[in-house]
């Protein structure tokens, strides 16, 4: 199971990287979204899968899955959501101001000012 | 804190008060206040002559950074005292001269005297410090204050160029020297020069010996304008003339000489030291005197002559180190070279100081320093003429001036090197007296140029801005005193020998003396018909001939192409560095975000991949893994399909929906992997995210061509690498569990300690509540940020 999940995570990372290297701002943000999905799954996988019942003491099970990675992921989900939302509005605003979402047109260095 | 420390620090303290004196006493030239200090210091140091010449050296220590072995130890011995007297004595004369040279009305006097005092204090610090780190601190202070003084007229392009150039070169040397200091510290475990001298045999044996020596010599050679680092000195002539007279003839350029002399007992036994110091000195001497002749600016001639004379002193120091090989006083052959070096050092300070001041007077009274415009000034400026004659004839080595004596001693030392039977001197050694002699001929010629091109010949009033007349008396006092010293030391050289030269020689060659013994220096005018006298006669004869035929053979200088000069090399290399770094920067700083991401990802892949394989860290172990169920396979397939769909989607809508499907897939995985809270959160958040994406999509699409993401092989390879590395790391990490998890603690204590049954929630708000606090903060900031972005607008007028 962990092997399969590792491969799935790898594929998510790969797709995310490919999208982030593209020109369109929207695709870059989609890429970051995929990347955070991959990272969350990876954390869960690394904590070990299916080791027992859900981490609710009411279950009265012999063993539970590791609750710590879940707490970490929950935090990460919220943070990545905040950042994604911010980036989306940033993209929206920059489109409004600059009239483009092509990263090549937003290029600038000191020597090209 | 002793009086000696105070003497070193007084110039700095005085510098603090100069601006106030300048502001408060508007009717008095600020220089008069400043003048008191060097006069006082000179008298103070003069009183050290008696104890030092009877062999007792004074030192006192103040702790500065004792934990690092850095004490501010002030130390007066023969060599330090000689320099201290030069610095304060000539400093006083230069300040007196500057009072008349720089008018109060036109110049920013307070900055001038602050810089000058800073410089004076730093120089005193160099020559009186026993601790190398303290010495280095003062060393850099002289570089800094010299930079400020050269760039004093900072509105002139040339001043700034000269200041920058001298800064670059001397600071380069200073940093090299710091390297040498640190190497020596590693060998001897002390920063004290006196202790280093006692450990000289240990240093000799150590592998760091050679690098430390080379670094030290780099420091000394750059500061003392030796070949090929002399190029900053002619450009430093943009400074006001008092500065040139003080820094660039008498004091700062001798800091390197001081350092070489000071470290002769440490490094002097090595053949490299002998060859480098003597060889570079002789080359500088010949090169400087040769190039002085083609200059047309009086100060430029003097600058090259300074370079050449410094080379002379340096070569004498090198020759003097030969005496360390014969540890008996009977063999005074080579220690005589050190005596000659010290004697010429004093002589050079006197005659070069007076010549600079005379050149300054000519500049001040005629408005130009160009010898092509000058001529026939003898009758207008008889006193300046007399001073120049004395200075220049002394420089040329004519009797009865002091330059004659030191030049004779120089020839003697160079000839004696032929008898030196170590380091293969017998083969190449013949070059020393030959080069020395040729250089003396050139020296003679440019000395004559200074005198006769300026003061005799045709008077050309049409080329001068002012009507020339003699300078005011105040401006003449300092050069007159210096010229009198030239004559005095020429006629009675032995007033110096017991008081100054003997103790200074003793501190350069400390272990040649038994306890209580002293060098017995006697300088005499007439020492028989030796080869030196014939050499001097030859110099004068050939010099006169060449000077008279100057117009004919001066064309020789045109043979040297302009492009091959060292200045050109310096400029070109500096510009090359500038352009080169710009090129390199433009090469990788493309301004495309994609490129930077590409670098980052490539670096991640290469570094982690390399680490993974070079340490053979990859392992694969499936023993503890959970079994794979059919649901998971299907779900994984759906997610992969979703991810791939995004890549190949032609429209953005497709990719957003595909992203949503991946997100819901993740939520389902959370369900399968028994994480109910995660699944809930993921579902909600994915829904909001997708709607946000759709919102953006609604505002973005009009302009977009609905095109497929174009395939790029490089991007594909980079992302394939990232995916592979992540997978490999995940597999290896999963296969090597180092220790048990700490989750058993949470499972046991969630209810007992925290009173909750949902372990994830207990961790979030109780065990690890801080995480949650700040994640809330993140959300808050994101919300505020979004609000600000949407609401706040700079109106057009406010935009930058």
């Amino acid at each position: 199971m962990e092997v399969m999940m590792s491969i799935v995570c790898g594929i998510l990372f790969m797709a995310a990287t490919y999208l982030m290297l593209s020109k369109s701002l929207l695709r870059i943000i989609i890429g970051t979204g995929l990347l955070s999905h991959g990272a969350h799954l990876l954390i869960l996988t690394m904590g070990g899968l299916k080791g027992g019942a859900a981490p609710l003491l009411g279950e009265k099970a012999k063993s539970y899955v590791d609750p710590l990675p879940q707490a970490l992921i929950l935090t990460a989900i919220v943070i990545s959501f905040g950042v994604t939302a911010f980036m989306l509005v940033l993209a929206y605003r920059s489109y409004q101001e600059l009239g483009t979402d092509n990263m090549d047109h937003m290029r600038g260095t000191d020597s090209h000012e | 804190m002793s009086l000696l420390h105070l003497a070193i620090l007084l110039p700095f303290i005085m510098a603090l008060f100069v601006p106030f004196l300048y502001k408060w006493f508007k009717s008095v030239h600020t220089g008069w206040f400043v003048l008191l200090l060097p006069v006082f210091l000179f008298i103070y140091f003069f009183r050290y002559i008696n104890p030092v010449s009877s062999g007792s050296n004074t030192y006192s220590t103040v702790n500065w950074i004792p934990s690092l072995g850095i004490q501010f130890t002030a130390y007066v011995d023969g060599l330090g005292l000689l320099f201290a007297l030069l610095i304060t004595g000539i400093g006083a004369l230069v300040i007196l001269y500057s009072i008349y040279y720089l008018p109060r009305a036109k110049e920013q006097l307070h900055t001038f005297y602050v810089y000058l005092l800073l410089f004076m204090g730093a120089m005193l610090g160099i020559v009186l410090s026993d601790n190398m780190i303290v010495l280095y601190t003062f060393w850099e202070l002289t570089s800094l204050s010299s930079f400020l003084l050269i760039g004093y007229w900072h509105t002139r392009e040339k001043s700034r160029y000269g200041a920058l150039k001298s800064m670059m070169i001397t600071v380069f040397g200073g940093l090299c020297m710091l390297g040498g200091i640190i190497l020596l510290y590693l060998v001897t475990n002390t920063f004290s020069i006196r202790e280093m001298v006692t450990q000289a045999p240990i240093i000799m044996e150590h592998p760091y010996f050679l690098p430390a020596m080379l670094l030290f010599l780099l420091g000394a050679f750059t500061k003392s304008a030796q070949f090929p680092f002399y190029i900053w000195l002619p450009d430093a002539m943009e400074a006001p003339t008092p500065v040139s007279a003080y820094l660039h003839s008498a004091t700062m350029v001798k800091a390197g000489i001081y350092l070489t002399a000071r470290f002769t007992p440490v490094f002097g036994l090595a053949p490299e030291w002998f060859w480098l110091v003597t060889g570079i000195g002789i080359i500088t001497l010949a090169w400087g005197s040769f190039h002085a002749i083609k200059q047309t600016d009086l100060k430029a001639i003097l600058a090259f002559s300074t370079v050449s004379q410094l080379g002379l002193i340096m070569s004498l120091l090198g020759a003097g180190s030969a005496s360390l090989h014969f540890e008996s006083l009977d063999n005074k052959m080579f220690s005589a070279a050190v005596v000659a070096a010290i004697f010429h050092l004093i002589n050079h300070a006197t005659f070069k100081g007076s010549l600079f001041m005379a050149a300054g007077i000519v500049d001040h009274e005629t408005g130009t320093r160009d010898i092509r415009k000058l001529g026939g000034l003898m009758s207008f400026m008889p006193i300046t003429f007399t001073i120049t004659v004395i200075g220049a004839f002394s420089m040329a080595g004519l009797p009865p001036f002091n330059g004659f004596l030191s030049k004779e001693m120089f020839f003697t030392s160079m000839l004696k090197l032929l008898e030196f039977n170590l380091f293969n001197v017998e083969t190449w050694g013949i070059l020393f007296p030959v080069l020395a002699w040729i250089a003396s001929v050139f020296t003679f010629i440019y000395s004559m140029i200074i005198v006769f091109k300026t003061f005799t010949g045709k008077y050309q009033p049409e080329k001068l801005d002012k009507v020339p007349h003699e300078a005011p008396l105040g401006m003449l006092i300092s050069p007159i005193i210096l010229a009198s010293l030239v004559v005095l030391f020429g006629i009675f050289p032995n007033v110096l020998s017991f008081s100054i030269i003997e103790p200074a020689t003793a501190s350069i060659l400390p272990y040649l003396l038994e306890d209580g013994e002293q060098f017995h220096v006697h300088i005499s005018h007439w020492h028989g018909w030796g080869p030196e006298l014939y050499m001097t006669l030859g110099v004068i004869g050939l010099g006169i001939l060449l000077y008279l035929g100057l117009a004919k053979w001066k064309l020789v200088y045109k043979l040297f192409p302009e492009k091959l000069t060292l200045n050109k090399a310096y400029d070109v290399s500096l510009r090359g560095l500038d352009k080169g770094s710009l090129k390199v920067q433009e090469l990788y700083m493309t301004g495309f975000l994609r490129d930077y991401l590409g670098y980052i990802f490539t670096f991640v892949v290469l570094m982690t991949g390399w680490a993974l394989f070079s340490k053979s860290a990859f392992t694969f172990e499936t023993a503890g893994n959970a079994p794979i169920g059919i649901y998971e396979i299907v779900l994984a397939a759906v997610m992969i399909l979703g991810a791939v769909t995004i890549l190949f989607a032609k429209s953005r809508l497709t990719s957003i929906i595909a992203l949503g499907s991946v997100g819901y897939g993740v939520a389902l995985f959370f369900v399968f992997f028994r994480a109910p809270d995660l699944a809930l959160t993921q579902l909600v958040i994915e829904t909001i995210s997708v709607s946000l994406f759709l919102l953006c999509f609604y505002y973005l699409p009009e302009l977009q061509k609905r095109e497929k993401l174009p395939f790029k092989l490089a991007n594909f390879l980079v992302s394939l690498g990232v995916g592979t590395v992540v997978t490999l790391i995940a597999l290896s990490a999963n296969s090597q569990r180092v220790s048990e998890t700490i989750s058993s603690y949470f499972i046991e204590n969630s209810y007992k300690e925290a009173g909750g049954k949902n372990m994830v929630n207990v961790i979030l708000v109780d065990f690890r509540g801080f995480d949650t606090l700040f994640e809330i903060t993140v959300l808050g900031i994101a919300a505020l940020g979004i609000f600000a972005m949407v609401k706040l607008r700079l109106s057009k007028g406010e935009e930058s």
Side-chain angles (χ1 to χ4, degrees), chain A residues 20-23 25 28 103-104 106-108, chain B residues 590-600:
Chain A
M20 285 164 79
L21 291 172
S22 73
K23 284 180 195 171
L25 200 50
I28 292 174
M103 287 309 284
D104 286 2
M106 299 188 194
R107 162 175 180 269
Chain B
T590 54
F592 290 115
L593 179 69
R594 194 169 61 247
D595 290 341
Y596 304 150
L597 281 175
Y599 305 147
I600 295 170

mmCIF file of all heavy atoms in Angstrom, chain A residues 20-23 25 28 103-104 106-108, chain B residues 590-600:
data_model
loop_
_atom_site.group_PDB
_atom_site.id
_atom_site.type_symbol
_atom_site.label_atom_id
_atom_site.label_comp_id
_atom_site.label_asym_id
_atom_site.label_seq_id
_atom_site.Cartn_x
_atom_site.Cartn_y
_atom_site.Cartn_z
ATOM 1 N N MET A 20 3.973 24.041 -12.767
ATOM 2 C CA MET A 20 4.592 25.261 -12.225
ATOM 3 C C MET A 20 5.617 25.839 -13.169
ATOM 4 O O MET A 20 5.962 27.021 -13.080
ATOM 5 C CB MET A 20 5.232 24.967 -10.867
ATOM 6 C CG MET A 20 4.199 24.827 -9.761
ATOM 7 S SD MET A 20 4.847 24.046 -8.306
ATOM 8 C CE MET A 20 5.709 25.375 -7.572
ATOM 9 N N LEU A 21 6.136 25.009 -14.069
ATOM 10 C CA LEU A 21 7.105 25.514 -15.038
ATOM 11 C C LEU A 21 6.432 26.113 -16.273
ATOM 12 O O LEU A 21 7.109 26.462 -17.226
ATOM 13 C CB LEU A 21 8.064 24.397 -15.450
ATOM 14 C CG LEU A 21 9.037 23.947 -14.349
ATOM 15 C CD1 LEU A 21 9.796 22.710 -14.780
ATOM 16 C CD2 LEU A 21 9.998 25.054 -14.005
ATOM 17 N N SER A 22 5.100 26.218 -16.254
ATOM 18 C CA SER A 22 4.421 26.739 -17.444
ATOM 19 C C SER A 22 4.310 28.261 -17.367
ATOM 20 O O SER A 22 4.722 28.881 -16.402
ATOM 21 C CB SER A 22 3.039 26.111 -17.568
ATOM 22 O OG SER A 22 2.213 26.662 -16.577
ATOM 23 N N LYS A 23 3.725 28.833 -18.423
ATOM 24 C CA LYS A 23 3.694 30.288 -18.506
ATOM 25 C C LYS A 23 2.483 30.897 -17.821
ATOM 26 O O LYS A 23 2.536 32.032 -17.373
ATOM 27 C CB LYS A 23 3.642 30.718 -19.978
ATOM 28 C CG LYS A 23 4.952 30.591 -20.697
ATOM 29 C CD LYS A 23 4.761 31.050 -22.128
ATOM 30 C CE LYS A 23 5.929 30.601 -22.972
ATOM 31 N NZ LYS A 23 5.681 30.847 -24.398
ATOM 32 N N LEU A 25 -0.341 31.911 -15.298
ATOM 33 C CA LEU A 25 -0.407 32.066 -13.843
ATOM 34 C C LEU A 25 -1.377 31.063 -13.227
ATOM 35 O O LEU A 25 -1.114 30.465 -12.186
ATOM 36 C CB LEU A 25 -0.843 33.498 -13.533
ATOM 37 C CG LEU A 25 -0.548 34.043 -12.159
ATOM 38 C CD1 LEU A 25 0.895 33.800 -11.806
ATOM 39 C CD2 LEU A 25 -0.846 35.532 -12.116
ATOM 40 N N ILE A 28 0.103 27.739 -12.848
ATOM 41 C CA ILE A 28 1.077 27.679 -11.745
ATOM 42 C C ILE A 28 0.357 27.463 -10.419
ATOM 43 O O ILE A 28 0.777 26.645 -9.588
ATOM 44 C CB ILE A 28 1.913 28.970 -11.710
ATOM 45 C CG1 ILE A 28 2.816 29.032 -12.938
ATOM 46 C CG2 ILE A 28 2.741 29.050 -10.444
ATOM 47 C CD1 ILE A 28 3.564 30.312 -13.082
ATOM 48 N N MET A 103 3.221 34.701 -17.584
ATOM 49 C CA MET A 103 4.377 35.024 -16.751
ATOM 50 C C MET A 103 5.492 35.665 -17.557
ATOM 51 O O MET A 103 6.281 36.440 -17.021
ATOM 52 C CB MET A 103 4.903 33.758 -16.071
ATOM 53 C CG MET A 103 4.031 33.251 -14.958
ATOM 54 S SD MET A 103 3.623 34.507 -13.758
ATOM 55 C CE MET A 103 5.173 34.606 -12.876
ATOM 56 N N ASP A 104 5.592 35.326 -18.819
ATOM 57 C CA ASP A 104 6.656 35.903 -19.639
ATOM 58 C C ASP A 104 6.504 37.407 -19.778
ATOM 59 O O ASP A 104 7.477 38.129 -19.941
ATOM 60 C CB ASP A 104 6.658 35.268 -21.033
ATOM 61 C CG ASP A 104 7.217 33.874 -20.972
ATOM 62 O OD1 ASP A 104 7.551 33.436 -19.847
ATOM 63 O OD2 ASP A 104 7.323 33.225 -22.019
ATOM 64 N N MET A 106 5.288 39.277 -17.460
ATOM 65 C CA MET A 106 5.494 39.918 -16.152
ATOM 66 C C MET A 106 6.958 39.926 -15.778
ATOM 67 O O MET A 106 7.322 40.222 -14.660
ATOM 68 C CB MET A 106 4.725 39.156 -15.078
ATOM 69 C CG MET A 106 3.247 39.136 -15.304
ATOM 70 S SD MET A 106 2.464 38.423 -13.876
ATOM 71 C CE MET A 106 0.834 38.120 -14.508
ATOM 72 N N ARG A 107 7.798 39.599 -16.738
ATOM 73 C CA ARG A 107 9.219 39.466 -16.447
ATOM 74 C C ARG A 107 9.834 40.836 -16.181
ATOM 75 O O ARG A 107 9.444 41.840 -16.751
ATOM 76 C CB ARG A 107 9.844 38.822 -17.671
ATOM 77 C CG ARG A 107 11.301 38.944 -17.813
ATOM 78 C CD ARG A 107 11.677 38.123 -19.034
ATOM 79 N NE ARG A 107 13.097 38.178 -19.255
ATOM 80 C CZ ARG A 107 13.677 39.069 -20.017
ATOM 81 N NH1 ARG A 107 12.940 39.972 -20.630
ATOM 82 N NH2 ARG A 107 14.969 39.067 -20.184
ATOM 83 N N GLY A 108 10.813 40.856 -15.317
ATOM 84 C CA GLY A 108 11.530 42.100 -15.073
ATOM 85 C C GLY A 108 12.778 41.858 -14.274
ATOM 86 O O GLY A 108 12.779 41.101 -13.320
ATOM 87 N N THR B 590 17.554 35.802 -15.639
ATOM 88 C CA THR B 590 16.867 36.110 -16.890
ATOM 89 C C THR B 590 15.622 36.941 -16.677
ATOM 90 O O THR B 590 15.125 37.561 -17.603
ATOM 91 C CB THR B 590 16.427 34.811 -17.581
ATOM 92 O OG1 THR B 590 15.658 34.077 -16.639
ATOM 93 C CG2 THR B 590 17.613 34.002 -18.006
ATOM 94 N N GLY B 591 15.093 36.948 -15.473
ATOM 95 C CA GLY B 591 13.853 37.661 -15.225
ATOM 96 C C GLY B 591 12.628 36.788 -15.433
ATOM 97 O O GLY B 591 11.513 37.227 -15.190
ATOM 98 N N PHE B 592 12.815 35.563 -15.910
ATOM 99 C CA PHE B 592 11.673 34.646 -16.071
ATOM 100 C C PHE B 592 11.543 33.786 -14.819
ATOM 101 O O PHE B 592 12.489 33.081 -14.448
ATOM 102 C CB PHE B 592 11.890 33.719 -17.265
ATOM 103 C CG PHE B 592 11.813 34.415 -18.570
ATOM 104 C CD1 PHE B 592 12.916 34.519 -19.394
ATOM 105 C CD2 PHE B 592 10.612 34.973 -18.996
ATOM 106 C CE1 PHE B 592 12.833 35.161 -20.605
ATOM 107 C CE2 PHE B 592 10.525 35.620 -20.215
ATOM 108 C CZ PHE B 592 11.637 35.715 -21.017
ATOM 109 N N LEU B 593 10.360 33.832 -14.189
ATOM 110 C CA LEU B 593 10.133 33.009 -13.006
ATOM 111 C C LEU B 593 10.391 31.539 -13.307
ATOM 112 O O LEU B 593 10.940 30.801 -12.501
ATOM 113 C CB LEU B 593 8.698 33.215 -12.527
ATOM 114 C CG LEU B 593 8.313 32.402 -11.308
ATOM 115 C CD1 LEU B 593 9.055 32.907 -10.090
ATOM 116 C CD2 LEU B 593 6.821 32.462 -11.059
ATOM 117 N N ARG B 594 10.009 31.154 -14.535
ATOM 118 C CA ARG B 594 10.128 29.755 -14.929
ATOM 119 C C ARG B 594 11.582 29.278 -14.837
ATOM 120 O O ARG B 594 11.863 28.184 -14.381
ATOM 121 C CB ARG B 594 9.633 29.636 -16.367
ATOM 122 C CG ARG B 594 9.375 28.249 -16.819
ATOM 123 C CD ARG B 594 8.641 28.257 -18.131
ATOM 124 N NE ARG B 594 9.350 28.891 -19.208
ATOM 125 C CZ ARG B 594 8.968 30.026 -19.785
ATOM 126 N NH1 ARG B 594 7.885 30.636 -19.377
ATOM 127 N NH2 ARG B 594 9.652 30.559 -20.765
ATOM 128 N N ASP B 595 12.498 30.161 -15.265
ATOM 129 C CA ASP B 595 13.900 29.763 -15.223
ATOM 130 C C ASP B 595 14.365 29.555 -13.792
ATOM 131 O O ASP B 595 15.061 28.585 -13.486
ATOM 132 C CB ASP B 595 14.752 30.838 -15.892
ATOM 133 C CG ASP B 595 14.517 30.860 -17.381
ATOM 134 O OD1 ASP B 595 14.014 29.848 -17.906
ATOM 135 O OD2 ASP B 595 14.824 31.880 -18.016
ATOM 136 N N TYR B 596 13.972 30.478 -12.923
ATOM 137 C CA TYR B 596 14.422 30.350 -11.530
ATOM 138 C C TYR B 596 13.867 29.087 -10.901
ATOM 139 O O TYR B 596 14.570 28.358 -10.196
ATOM 140 C CB TYR B 596 13.987 31.570 -10.714
ATOM 141 C CG TYR B 596 14.447 32.877 -11.280
ATOM 142 C CD1 TYR B 596 13.711 34.033 -11.098
ATOM 143 C CD2 TYR B 596 15.622 32.953 -12.024
ATOM 144 C CE1 TYR B 596 14.138 35.229 -11.629
ATOM 145 C CE2 TYR B 596 16.046 34.138 -12.555
ATOM 146 C CZ TYR B 596 15.301 35.286 -12.371
ATOM 147 O OH TYR B 596 15.716 36.455 -12.896
ATOM 148 N N LEU B 597 12.578 28.810 -11.167
ATOM 149 C CA LEU B 597 12.000 27.571 -10.647
ATOM 150 C C LEU B 597 12.748 26.379 -11.200
ATOM 151 O O LEU B 597 13.012 25.404 -10.504
ATOM 152 C CB LEU B 597 10.518 27.491 -11.023
ATOM 153 C CG LEU B 597 9.582 28.327 -10.171
ATOM 154 C CD1 LEU B 597 8.174 28.261 -10.730
ATOM 155 C CD2 LEU B 597 9.598 27.841 -8.737
ATOM 156 N N GLY B 598 13.104 26.495 -12.487
ATOM 157 C CA GLY B 598 13.868 25.420 -13.113
ATOM 158 C C GLY B 598 15.171 25.173 -12.379
ATOM 159 O O GLY B 598 15.521 24.035 -12.081
ATOM 160 N N TYR B 599 15.910 26.269 -12.037
ATOM 161 C CA TYR B 599 17.163 26.083 -11.302
ATOM 162 C C TYR B 599 16.906 25.382 -9.974
ATOM 163 O O TYR B 599 17.619 24.446 -9.586
ATOM 164 C CB TYR B 599 17.837 27.425 -10.963
ATOM 165 C CG TYR B 599 18.098 28.341 -12.121
ATOM 166 C CD1 TYR B 599 18.044 29.715 -11.955
ATOM 167 C CD2 TYR B 599 18.421 27.834 -13.371
ATOM 168 C CE1 TYR B 599 18.285 30.570 -13.010
ATOM 169 C CE2 TYR B 599 18.661 28.684 -14.435
ATOM 170 C CZ TYR B 599 18.583 30.052 -14.250
ATOM 171 O OH TYR B 599 18.815 30.888 -15.273
ATOM 172 N N ILE B 600 15.873 25.872 -9.283
ATOM 173 C CA ILE B 600 15.612 25.331 -7.951
ATOM 174 C C ILE B 600 15.316 23.838 -8.039
ATOM 175 O O ILE B 600 15.911 23.015 -7.339
ATOM 176 C CB ILE B 600 14.443 26.081 -7.285
ATOM 177 C CG1 ILE B 600 14.841 27.537 -7.034
ATOM 178 C CG2 ILE B 600 14.045 25.422 -5.972
ATOM 179 C CD1 ILE B 600 13.690 28.421 -6.610
#
